[in-house]
Amino acid sequence: MNGIDIAVIVCVCVAAVAVIAGVIYRKVKRKDGGCGCGCDGCTLCDKGRKNTEK
């Protein structure tokens, strides 16, 4: 392997780690939608009902 091969492998690994970290961060911070209470905006949630009953 030469230097270019190693650089490509490192870049691919860094990109994969960044994607995995982003997915985990979104799940922990609940940035994936919903009302934030963990129900993902279901209709049985009090927050979800209040938003749709306006």
Side-chain angles (χ1 to χ4, degrees), residues 10-34:
V10 169
C11 288
V12 168
C13 290
V14 167
V17 169
V19 168
I20 293 169
V23 168
I24 292 171
Y25 177 77
R26 286 182 62 180
K27 286 199 179 283
V28 169
K29 294 295 183 179
R30 305 300 294 163
K31 302 262 184 200
D32 55 351

Side-chain angles (χ1 to χ4, degrees), residues 30 33-42 45-47:
R30 305 300 294 163
C35 62
C37 70
C39 71
D40 292 327
C42 66
C45 177
D46 289 336
K47 293 179 185 177

Side-chain angles (χ1 to χ4, degrees), residues 2 4 6-7 9-10 35 37 52:
N2 59 16
I4 293 175
I6 294 172
I9 291 170
V10 169
C35 62
C37 70
T52 57

Side-chain angles (χ1 to χ4, degrees), residues 49-54:
R49 273 189 270 148
K50 289 178 185 174
N51 289 336
T52 57
E53 292 179 357
K54 288 182 180 178

